Each structure stands twice: as C-alpha cells, then as structure tokens.
Amino acid sequence: MNQPISRRSGLKLITAGGLMGLGPRRSFAAESSATSDPWSESHDRVFLGGAFWANPMEDWKVSKGGAECISQGPGRSVHSLTHQITRNGAFEMGVTATRLEMLKTDGGAGFRIGIKSELNEYRSNCFVTQGIVAGWSGDRLTLEKQTTPLKDAGSLKVLRLELKGQPRGDKCTLTLVATHPESGAELGRLSLTVPAEKILGNVSIANNFERGGKRGQGKARAGGRYRFNQWTLGGEAFTVTESNRFGPILWSMYSLSDSRGDEGFVMKMSALTGPMGPKDSQVVELQIKNGGEWKSLGEAKLDPDSWVATFRIPNWDEKQAHPYRLVYREKYLDGSETPHEWTGIIRLNPEGRPLRMAALTCQNDYGFPYAPVADNVRKLDPDLIFFSGDQIYESHGGFGIIREPADRAILNYLRKYYQFGWAFRESMRNAPTLCLPDDHDVFQGNIWGEGGKKMEVRGGGASSKGGYIQPARMVRAVHNTTVAHHPDPYDATPVKQDISVYYGDMVYGGVSFAILADRQWKSGPEHVDTGGGRIDHVRAKDFDVKALDKPGLVLLGERQEEFLKKWSADWRGHTLKAVLSQTVFAGMATHHGGFNGYLKGDLDSGGWPQTARDRAIDLMRSSMALHINGDQHLTTLSQYGVKEQRDSNWSFCTPAISAGYPRWWRPDEVDMPHENRPKHGNEHTGEYLDGFGNKAYVYAVGNPVVGKAPNRYNKAHEKGSGFGFITFDTVKKTYFLECFRFNIDATDGKASNQFPGWPVTIQQKENRGENVLE
C-alpha cells in the first residue's frame, strides 16, 4: 500500500528529527555533520513539519521551498523541537534568508539561541522571547549588541548566515558569518564570548528580532518579512530527541459507547493533523492489530478547516483491548511519501470492576505544559478522561486573537488548541476521552449561546453579551476538534447559524454519562438588570436577586431538557449515572479576581437563571446522577437543593489544571448565614443560600492563596490548581471522589496531596436526597 520513499526525502526527514512512530526513539549528542530542514521537498502549506513549532503558526507557511513569514510584526520565530543545546560544546547553525519585504526599518532575520523558560523544558521554551540574537538587520550584521556593515548591502536580497559556537572554559565564543549564497564570498563577521549557560535551551530562526509586548503581544515596530531555507544544525552541544516531534499526526481522541441497539458498542476516533496543503494527502488510515497482524479499518478524510479525520466503527468488540495505529502518508514534490504513525490502545469495556475517571478543566498556559498534572494522570491510568472546557484561553501562546476572517481565526484557534494536545496526548492515546468546548475555546470570556445567535456587538468586549462573536465557521471547527469523536448526539440538528450541537450520552463500564452543553442555549444577561456596572455581575449585597429570575429565561433549553428527562428514566446497560457539563448549577464563589473582590452573583454560573436551574435539577434528581463539571477555577463539592436543602444531586466542580482568574468561596467572611456544618467542621461549609438564593450544601472547598511564586508549577499550586478523580463502583453503587493538588505525586498516598475535605464517598441514593454523609 505504501509508495516507495526517495532517498533524498527520507534522509531529510530523518535528519530533521526522526519519524513519528517509526524506528527507535532516542536522545543523543548530534554528530558533527549538520542536519537540514525538509522544506525544499514539502508542498506549500501552513504546517512547517513535525520538527518545528512556529510562533504564531498562522503567520508562517511553507512556500517556494522555505519557511516564509507572512507577517511583518515583531517576534515571529520557528523553534526546532528536536534540537536543544544542552552542554557547552561546539555547534554550528546555518540558514539562507531571503528578504521579501521591508518597511522603513528592518527588524532583522536570523537566529535566536539560549531560549529557555525557568523550567528549560523544550515545549515551555517555545514561548520565551528572550535569548541571544544573531543575524541580518537592514544593511548590517548583528550579534546581540554588536553590529558591523555588510558588504554590498544595498543589493543584497539573499544571504547565508552561519553561527558557530566554540567552548572556552566556562564560556562559549560565538562567531557569526554572512556569505553570498552563490559565490560563498564573505560579507561580514562578528564574534562574541558569553557565559556558557546563556547558550543553553532552544534554538530558533527569527523574523524581526524585536519582541514586542509580553510574549509577542502589544505594539512594537514592525520590520521585514523573510523566507528561510536550508536550516542546518549540528555539533556536540546539541542533544537531538526524535520523540519531541509534534506531527503530522498531532494526537488522537476516541470514545467507546454501548448503543444498546443493533450497532452494539460504537467506537469513534478523531485524528488531528497540522494544517496541510491542497497537494498534501487529505486522508488518515486507521489500523488495528489482530492476531499479530495489522488490519486496516479504512481511511477518513481530513476536514479542511479543523484538520480532524473522524472514524466511526459500529459493532466494536469491546471485550478485549485493541492496539491501534493511525497512519498519515506525507507526500513530497518528487512523488515519494513517508508514512507517519500514531499508536495507542483502545481499551476493553471495564466490566466487573469499578470505572476510574480523571476529570480536568481550565488550562491557563502560564502553567504549560502542566507536567505535574499530566504525569499524574498518566500514572493513575484512568479508564476515562474528561475535560470540561477551556482547553485554551485567548492569551495562549501570545500574539492575541483573530476575530475574522474565519479561516485566519481558525488557524489562530488551532495553534492555541494544539498546546492542549501537546500536554495531554500521552494519556489520551490510550483512554477514551470526552472533551467539551466552553467560552474561552470560542474566544469569549463568557458565553450565553442563546441557541446559536450571532452576537450583536455595540462596543466593548464579548464577555457580557448573548450569542457568539466568532464566525460560525470557526465555532463549528472548535466543536469538531473537541467533540467529533464523541458518541453521536441525541439530536444532531444544528442551532442558529448552522452551529453544530453535541449533547447526548455515553454508556461505558456500566455507567451512563449525560453530556450537556450548559451554555449553548443559555440566555444572555441583557434580559435582566443587575443594578449597574457589568451587566452579568451583581455587586450589591442587598440586591434583590428575585428580580433576575424572569419568565422565559433559559439554562439548558427545551431540547436538552427533553433529552435529560428521557435519559434519567433510561437504565438500559448500566447501574450508575453521571452528568457531565461545563459548570456547577450554583453560584459557588463569593470573591472574584482579587482576594477582596466580593461579588454577590455571577450570571455566568449555572445558578442563574434560577427557575431554569431548578428545572434542570428536578430532571436530574430521578437519575441519581453525580454532576461533574469545572470552569470556576475553584474546586467545590456541594449538593443541590430545590424545595429544601440537600434534596437533590451532588456536584463535583474540579480544580483548574492551571488556574488563571482566581475565585474564592468565603461565605463566613461576608456573614452569609449557614446551618448544619458537616461533621468535619471545616470553615465555609454547610447549608447556604448562594448569591442567587439557590439552596446549596457545601461539603468541601479548595480555596487558593494569591499566586506569587516565580516557578510556574509552584504558582499553579498556590492558585488552587489540580484535577479530580472519580471511581464509579457499579456494584456498591458509590462514587469515590478524590481532588488532587497540582504539584504533588498522586501515587505516594500522602493526605496532603488532596484539598481539604477530600476524599469523599457518595452513595448513589444521596443524589436524590437520601443522605448518609454527615
């Protein structure tokens, strides 16, 4: 089936860092011969190749045999993922730079080295804008603050840059040489000796050296626009790690669900690639291993917006685990191709034992790549992984957001979303994953979807208005990247603007999961008056919140309420239930933004609108389902009340993976009355009326401290980050809830690993008010 690979293409790909899934994965010191980029053999496209990370991706493309920057903005760069300088040894880098455009001033082009975060980890290093610059700027050669005139500068459009490093004790001498690419004549030379530690870290090519604002944002002088090719890297200072490659297959997600019909168990899988070009292969193949042989299950076409290929396989054999591999065949200009693989395990349906699920939410990328959480999830090896939303924030990776046109907005989103997969793909490849989109995923601080309505923007931002601000085409792409692999929706009819829906259920391991979109139909705050200031915030303590509960306001909407009613009564194929959605159906925060930032009510919470909230809980009660959610950046374990306290389902709002905007639940400090504090006696717990007057029994809360630590992982820990873990015992009919902090080892058994009040066991019947827990 595979076409032959030309020696030229094969060598170029191998030297660029190794083939994903092919051959051994190893780290080693680079040999003296330099390795080269593959762009001269690649078709034109946005994706630069698995050995590279582009900042930002949407501003780069493969064109005419090189990596071309299409922006004249500051701080654009392409990092090598496979080559890092890890020791004070000899090294050399070369690149040919072609100047395509230049404004009044030229920001420069060439190299940046010594790029490292406080972790000096290759993924986190990709978003650092500091380092040693070396290259061509205007009519001069530049090495840090040193410059020298270039010969024949007025006629130069293309030149070759060579940067060499030579150890000198605990220092390194850098030598930059510019030559004519055809004649080889030297055009300029500079040398600089620096402390050896300054060269350690990532290396990149750079288009416009000026960094601009934070991580490439903000206003700064623009400059030239360049194309780069023949990027070579070599020398003993480099460590080459082939497994660092990211793509062309970036990662996969799959689900496994009992249809309870003629199709038996249905397996669905998404394969995500980087944005390819029209002459690249447009399909991905799925194979499974059966009896020691690989068997093809067919090909799926890549969606040209989201770059997702989706497989749907009915009548899946759920009684055994199946190794799988996804194959993407990368095509080259000479007609040859290389197969790239991504492998994993499709688990068997976990019958006869408890089902174990990791629950995660909200990943602000100051904590990227979230290694303590990602490593703990991998070590705990859950049967199912649930991400409840905010896989991205608008600030991800710097360079701001793009509202329109849709094609550019989608690339902007994909680049940010790829950080999520980059961090958690090792767990997702081997376990079913459910992943919900939320407000920040579609570039909104809050979302009140109003059934897919287009937002009417009259100045200001997108956080306090109903509808979707982004083009519907982008919203559909966001949905495709997150839920295409989910079980089929209950009713796939799109909402307004032809925006897709995804609510429905999954039956797996003797548990039925209702998957809800608790913002897609929700009413916007324009329908009520919150008393001044932000229209979605209630600030006055004495504000009468009953005025906010107007007739006709929507939380889940009629379609989801119909589904929830039927799902609650359907017990085929399972004995336990859980509801999965974006956020908690109560106002579980008293302080927002700052430690003293009191807020009576936030309409973004699931506690508003109150009547619609109560109706949703009434529909859930007979299901005896645990409600698992996130979004708040603040972990809580609470029980809903409608007619009276503790008469309904429990909610586990999990901590953020990496908490950004802080929230606290500190009702005792603002004199909110409470009754029946739990037996453990922890502060801020007991029976309360939240800011909207909803009944809520708070059993446990993980309030943060103000994050100040310089190390990102320590800061995330301070800010109350972490993840949840739920064990569903379908025989005992219990839910065992654990809530782990960020910077711990979840397998060492220390009580301090978990937030105060956890772990907790909830009995199924307690989700309809037959309470046991005290």
Side-chain angles (χ1 to χ4, degrees):
M1 183 179 293
N2 298 346
Q3 296 180 16
I5 304 169
S6 73
R7 182 176 184 274
R8 177 175 51 174
S9 296
L11 285 175
K12 278 187 174 291
L13 280 164
I14 291 168
T15 57
L19 303 181
M20 178 69 72
L22 300 178
R25 297 182 177 187
R26 58 197 178 103
S27 297
F28 55 90
E31 298 175 357
S32 58
S33 58
T35 61
S36 181
D37 67 73
W39 300 320
S40 63
E41 293 297 325
S42 298
H43 290 291
D44 290 358
R45 65 192 188 200
V46 171
F47 180 62
L48 297 187
F52 310 103
W53 178 265
N55 286 318
M57 181 183 75
E58 61 271 19
D59 283 351
W60 290 86
K61 65 179 181 179
V62 178
S63 176
K64 298 181 180 178
E68 180 178 323
C69 187
I70 65 172
S71 170
Q72 292 174 310
R76 274 59 183 173
S77 62
V78 177
H79 284 242
S80 171
L81 299 182
T82 56
H83 291 65
Q84 283 74 42
I85 296 179
T86 60
R87 59 183 65 81
N88 185 18
F91 72 89
E92 57 185 30
M93 290 199 300
V95 75
T96 300
T98 302
R99 182 182 285 159
L100 303 175
E101 288 185 90
M102 187 175 73
L103 298 180
K104 291 182 179 179
T105 59
D106 177 24
F111 304 111
R112 182 175 279 117
I113 68 170
I115 312 167
K116 54 183 175 293
S117 70
E118 83 282 9
L119 304 176
N120 194 11
E121 185 272 345
Y122 78 103
R123 291 168 297 178
S124 66
N125 292 351
C126 285
F127 305 98
V128 173
T129 58
Q130 296 177 338
I132 298 171
V133 296
W136 177 20
S137 182
D139 59 358
R140 305 182 72 82
L141 195 63
T142 297
L143 179 58
E144 279 293 82
K145 295 181 180 179
Q146 297 187 37
T147 68
T148 189
L150 285 165
K151 295 178 183 177
D152 305 320
S155 61
L156 284 176
K157 297 295 183 183
V158 185
L159 60 72
R160 180 74 182 170
L161 294 167
E162 302 280 351
L163 178 66
K164 296 183 179 181
Q166 189 65 41
R168 297 282 186 266
D170 61 355
K171 298 181 185 298
C172 181
T173 297
L174 303 174
T175 302
L176 176 66
V177 179
T179 59
H180 193 283
E182 295 181 0
S183 68
E186 185 172 311
L187 304 175
R189 175 184 293 262
L190 287 170
S191 290
L192 175 68
T193 299
V194 298
E197 63 268 18
K198 289 197 69 175
I199 69 168
L200 303 180
N202 281 20
V203 299
S204 77
I205 51 176
N207 191 105
N208 294 323
F209 294 134
E210 187 175 354
R211 296 193 298 269
K214 182 181 179 182
R215 297 171 62 191
Q217 298 185 71
K219 294 181 179 180
R221 290 182 297 114
R225 192 171 69 80
Y226 289 81
R227 183 188 303 118
F228 302 84
N229 62 358
Q230 297 179 318
W231 184 14
T232 58
L233 307 96
E236 64 182 12
F238 280 111
T239 292
V240 182
T241 310
E242 297 182 2
S243 60
N244 285 359
R245 289 176 59 91
F246 189 46
I249 302 176
L250 304 174
W251 77 94
S252 61
M253 296 186 284
Y254 73 90
S255 68
L256 183 62
S257 182
D258 185 357
S259 70
R260 295 159 295 171
D262 293 341
E263 292 190 313
F265 273 77
V266 177
M267 194 283 294
K268 291 182 70 176
M269 179 176 289
S270 291
L272 296 92
T273 71
M276 310 307 288
K279 294 184 179 180
D280 285 303
S281 174
Q282 303 295 304
V283 297
V284 177
E285 183 184 13
L286 173 62
Q287 302 174 359
I288 63 167
K289 200 169 191 178
N290 194 349
E293 300 290 333
W294 286 103
K295 174 186 175 183
S296 176
L297 297 184
E299 294 180 336
K301 192 176 188 313
L302 285 160
D303 175 79
D305 276 346
S306 60
W307 296 102
V308 172
T310 305
F311 300 86
R312 185 184 188 277
I313 314 293
N315 297 306
W316 186 264
D317 177 11
E318 82 286 1
K319 297 194 179 296
Q320 60 180 319
H322 299 274
Y324 73 89
R325 67 183 181 190
L326 294 160
V327 183
Y328 178 81
R329 293 175 175 84
E330 187 171 12
K331 297 180 178 180
Y332 303 102
L333 294 174
D334 64 3
S336 64
E337 63 179 32
T338 296
H340 297 263
E341 299 180 359
W342 179 254
T343 63
I345 300 292
I346 299 171
R347 292 172 179 254
L348 54 75
N349 182 44
E351 291 184 303
R353 63 169 177 82
L355 171 71
R356 303 165 65 253
M357 183 177 88
L360 306 98
T361 192
C362 299
Q363 40 202 297
N364 191 301
D365 84 329
Y366 77 84
F368 178 81
Y370 328 113
V373 171
D375 291 346
N376 276 321
V377 171
R378 190 168 62 253
K379 285 189 290 187
L380 291 171
D381 192 28
D383 301 300
L384 175 64
I385 306 173
F386 171 50
F387 295 94
S388 64
D390 292 344
Q391 282 69 243
I392 70 159
Y393 286 84
E394 293 88 330
S395 60
H396 258 56
F399 299 96
I401 60 172
I402 297 173
R403 291 289 186 203
E404 54 186 2
D407 57 347
R408 292 277 295 159
I410 290 168
L411 289 176
N412 183 240
Y413 159 75
L414 289 176
R415 183 252 303 176
K416 298 172 186 291
Y417 181 65
Y418 290 162
Q419 290 184 238
F420 155 65
W422 213 2
F424 290 101
R425 63 181 184 159
E426 292 303 320
S427 290
M428 293 190 289
R429 72 198 298 166
N430 295 322
T433 300
L434 296 175
C435 182
L436 304 182
D438 201 8
D439 42 20
H440 293 283
D441 298 298
V442 292
F443 296 174
Q444 296 182 207
N446 298 314
I447 189 168
W448 335 79
E450 299 214 339
K453 184 184 81 171
K454 183 175 178 60
M455 183 183 292
E456 298 177 9
V457 181
R458 299 187 182 93
S463 296
S464 301
K465 298 179 176 67
Y468 291 83
I469 192 171
Q470 290 298 114
R473 179 180 163 192
M474 178 206 158
V475 177
R476 288 191 295 270
V478 171
H479 287 186
N480 209 36
T481 60
T482 51
V483 305
H485 67 287
H486 280 202
D488 299 344
Y490 175 77
D491 174 4
T493 305
V495 292
K496 296 173 184 176
Q497 301 190 77
D498 199 33
I499 290 174
S500 51
V501 302
Y502 53 87
Y503 69 95
D505 69 340
M506 183 173 92
V507 178
Y508 173 69
V511 182
S512 181
F513 298 91
I515 302 164
L516 298 181
D518 54 21
R519 270 79 184 259
Q520 193 164 18
W521 279 269
K522 186 173 179 176
S523 299
E526 303 100 319
H527 297 284
V528 296
D529 181 0
T530 55
R534 263 183 65 163
I535 62 174
D536 56 330
H537 283 177
V538 180
R539 297 199 173 275
K541 273 189 178 183
D542 58 353
F543 184 86
D544 182 6
V545 292
K546 293 179 181 178
L548 303 177
D549 195 19
K550 290 185 175 181
L553 295 177
V554 170
L555 178 60
L556 297 182
E558 292 181 2
R559 289 173 59 179
Q560 291 194 110
E561 288 178 356
E562 176 197 353
F563 158 70
L564 197 54
K565 181 179 180 179
K566 291 184 177 180
W567 173 82
S568 295
D570 184 355
W571 287 92
R572 293 175 298 151
H574 64 280
T575 58
L576 282 179
K577 290 181 182 284
V579 171
L580 308 179
S581 80
Q582 283 85 357
T583 198
V584 54
F585 292 172
M588 295 275 62
T590 56
H591 296 75
H592 292 238
F595 188 79
N596 296 316
Y598 172 76
L599 195 65
K600 181 180 178 71
D602 179 5
L603 274 63
D604 179 54
S605 79
W608 178 85
Q610 298 97 310
T611 294
R613 172 263 190 190
D614 288 350
R615 189 164 60 246
I617 294 170
D618 285 339
L619 292 169
M620 287 168 52
R621 188 182 298 108
S622 63
S623 73
M624 296 180 286
L626 173 68
H627 185 196
I628 305 167
N629 52 77
D631 175 69
Q632 293 297 299
H633 310 173
L634 171 67
T635 185
T636 55
L637 177 60
S638 59
Q639 187 177 15
Y640 301 137
V642 177
K643 291 183 178 178
E644 58 185 49
Q645 287 280 8
R646 303 193 66 185
D647 66 4
S648 302
N649 311 73
W650 282 79
S651 161
F652 183 13
C653 181
T654 64
I657 295 168
S658 178
Y661 183 86
R663 293 184 179 91
W664 290 263
W665 170 254
R666 306 198 321 266
D668 298 356
E669 297 177 18
V670 292
D671 301 322
M672 288 176 63
H674 72 272
E675 294 182 354
N676 299 322
R677 184 149 282 175
K679 194 172 182 179
H680 57 57
N682 292 346
E683 62 179 351
H684 309 306
T685 61
E687 296 174 357
Y688 291 89
L689 296 181
D690 71 10
F692 297 105
N694 300 307
K695 297 177 178 65
Y697 173 67
V698 181
Y699 185 85
V701 60
N703 280 319
V705 299
V706 177
K708 296 181 179 179
N711 178 280
R712 67 188 65 196
Y713 293 161
N714 293 335
K715 182 178 180 180
H717 191 90
E718 291 173 343
K719 297 186 73 169
S721 308
F723 67 102
F725 206 87
I726 302 98
T727 302
F728 301 84
D729 193 318
T730 56
V731 175
K732 295 180 180 178
K733 295 185 178 180
T734 59
Y735 307 83
F736 180 62
L737 313 179
E738 299 178 273
C739 193
F740 291 103
R741 296 180 181 273
F742 185 94
N743 205 7
I744 54 93
D745 180 352
T747 64
D748 66 13
K750 294 180 181 178
S752 59
N753 289 342
Q754 302 206 34
F755 287 93
W758 283 273
V760 181
T761 298
I762 303 292
Q763 296 187 26
Q764 181 186 43
K765 63 184 180 180
E766 295 187 80
N767 286 303
R768 64 183 179 196
E770 297 178 32
N771 296 307
V772 177
L773 189 64
E774 297 180 354

